[in-house]
Amino acid sequence: MTLKKILKQSLLLIWYMLRLPSYKFHKFPLKNKFSGIAHVLVNGPSLKETLKEYDNGKIEIDDNSFFVNLSALDPHFLQIKPKHYCLSDPMFYQDYEPKKSDIRRMYDILNTDVDWDMYLYLCFPTEKEYDKLEKYAGLTNPHIKIIRMNRKTCASLVPAWRNKLYASGYFMPEDGTIANTAIYLALLEGYKEIRLYGADHNMFLELAVNDLNQLCSLDSHYYDKEKPQLKPFMNCCIAEERPFRVHEFLYILFVMFQSHDLLQQFSQYLGARILNCTSGSMIDSYERLKI
């Protein structure tokens, strides 16, 4: 790298630091603590079929699994007893009416039914959000260890610098969705093969704009008991309750797919593999494994 490029990259890193919403860094306690295969189960509709295959003994999924968001509501959570659980959505620390009862039920399950040691990862930009979630969740289960992540990004750095920062645990690819967060965690913790299930990532095929100019979505998940209905796609990341604007959501999709590309590069840096086991997935970053 030339001196000019080193200077430019150094200034870029300083720029990233100055733009941080929170300057506190958390030391990650589980770097390279695991090995072998990790199973990342995210909540796309296709996961329903995957879990049927698991029930029939055609797919092996063990406790080296990452569950996310509301997946504790599914009976397979207590059956598989995953070591890892991830949350990064603001709806988990506030009274988000559309899913308030489900979120409360999820925390009740974590508090009373988890009788194995499990890591609960929280991924938010600021300490205030971490504090709000821990207070809102009210978790007292001694089997659950809460780990605060460093949601700090450096995507524009050259790969050599960027991957070193990712490997430190102090920076990460922007999460976009919780799938990105879980994959990053699995890589950071030393798993050499990450199998990704339920990552349909086809939400842009389920979008529409109604007569009130509201962006609507089916917002379907594998654990839904009723047929999903097209309804306004609410943005719970802001103070006022309103649907996403189209450009806001398309930007989130851009961040999400770019993050998958960065994770693929990070996996190569670590000598690991990410295998997309999701039939029909729109992710084009990873090697596919037909199951």
Side-chain angles (χ1 to χ4, degrees):
M1 198 185 313
T2 64
L3 181 61
K4 182 179 178 180
K5 194 163 188 178
I6 291 173
L7 179 60
K8 184 177 179 180
Q9 289 290 303
S10 298
L11 291 173
L12 184 58
L13 179 58
I14 293 170
W15 180 76
Y16 277 122
M17 296 293 292
L18 292 175
R19 292 177 66 249
L20 293 177
S22 172
Y23 290 95
K24 184 170 183 178
F25 287 85
H26 301 279
K27 184 176 181 180
F28 189 74
L30 300 175
K31 279 184 60 179
N32 299 316
K33 295 294 186 183
F34 299 94
S35 61
I37 299 174
H39 308 274
V40 173
L41 281 67
V42 293
N43 297 342
S46 67
L47 190 61
K48 183 179 292 187
E49 190 60 34
T50 297
L51 292 175
K52 285 183 182 177
E53 298 288 290
Y54 166 78
D55 291 337
N56 293 331
K58 296 181 180 180
I59 298 175
E60 183 177 342
I61 298 174
D62 60 22
D63 62 349
N64 287 289
S65 295
F66 290 77
F67 276 53
V68 303
N69 292 348
L70 293 171
S71 57
L73 303 181
D74 185 88
H76 290 89
F77 172 69
L78 297 179
Q79 183 178 351
I80 294 173
K81 299 181 183 293
K83 293 177 181 175
H84 313 284
Y85 204 103
C86 310
L87 299 175
S88 71
D89 196 305
M91 72 179 181
F92 290 109
Y93 61 66
Q94 58 188 310
D95 286 339
Y96 179 59
E97 288 301 329
K99 296 185 179 179
K100 180 179 176 181
S101 61
D102 285 341
I103 292 170
R104 197 70 263 160
R105 190 155 57 95
M106 177 203 73
Y107 284 135
D108 288 342
I109 291 171
L110 296 184
N111 225 1
T112 61
D113 295 344
V114 172
D115 56 4
W116 66 94
D117 291 340
M118 189 182 79
Y119 299 102
L120 176 62
Y121 307 94
L122 308 182
C123 185
F124 295 98
T126 67
E127 295 304 305
K128 182 179 179 181
E129 290 174 282
Y130 289 125
D131 294 340
K132 286 172 69 174
L133 188 143
E134 292 193 28
K135 181 178 179 180
Y136 187 81
L139 297 177
T140 58
N141 188 337
H143 290 288
I144 295 178
K145 178 176 176 55
I146 295 176
I147 296 178
R148 297 185 176 192
M149 297 176 63
N150 298 298
R151 187 165 163 175
K152 298 169 173 64
T153 65
C154 57
S156 297
L157 292 175
V158 293
W161 287 28
R162 185 179 67 236
N163 288 325
K164 283 184 184 299
L165 289 176
Y166 289 168
S168 74
Y170 293 117
F171 287 79
M172 62 177 286
E174 179 58 271
D175 67 346
T177 67
I178 196 67
N180 305 83
T181 304
I183 293 169
Y184 170 69
L185 281 165
L187 290 170
L188 188 62
E189 292 177 0
Y191 291 104
K192 291 304 180 184
E193 182 171 303
I194 293 95
R195 299 193 174 196
L196 179 62
Y197 304 92
D200 302 63
H201 277 32
N202 60 0
M203 54 284 283
F204 47 81
L205 302 179
E206 302 174 339
L207 299 177
V209 175
N210 64 18
D211 291 339
L212 298 176
N213 277 338
Q214 296 174 319
L215 180 65
C216 298
S217 169
L218 289 178
D219 193 26
S220 54
H221 304 89
Y222 81 98
Y223 48 71
D224 292 331
K225 297 293 188 286
E226 300 176 359
K227 185 176 180 180
Q229 301 293 317
L230 198 66
K231 54 190 177 184
F233 192 17
M234 305 306 291
N235 184 352
C236 62
C237 301
I238 53 177
E240 75 273 19
E241 179 139 327
R242 64 165 176 80
F244 279 102
R245 302 294 296 166
V246 172
H247 80 274
E248 291 171 338
F249 189 64
L250 292 180
Y251 177 73
I252 289 173
L253 293 181
F254 161 77
V255 169
M256 175 183 73
F257 284 107
Q258 181 191 50
S259 177
H260 283 300
D261 282 344
L262 296 175
L263 286 165
Q264 171 62 6
Q265 294 170 30
F266 184 46
S267 72
Q268 293 172 335
Y269 172 80
L270 296 176
R273 299 172 72 201
I274 305 171
L275 301 177
N276 190 353
C277 305
T278 308
S279 178
S281 172
M282 293 296 291
I283 301 172
D284 60 357
S285 305
Y286 311 128
E287 179 183 350
R288 291 182 182 250
L289 180 65
K290 190 178 175 75
I291 59 172

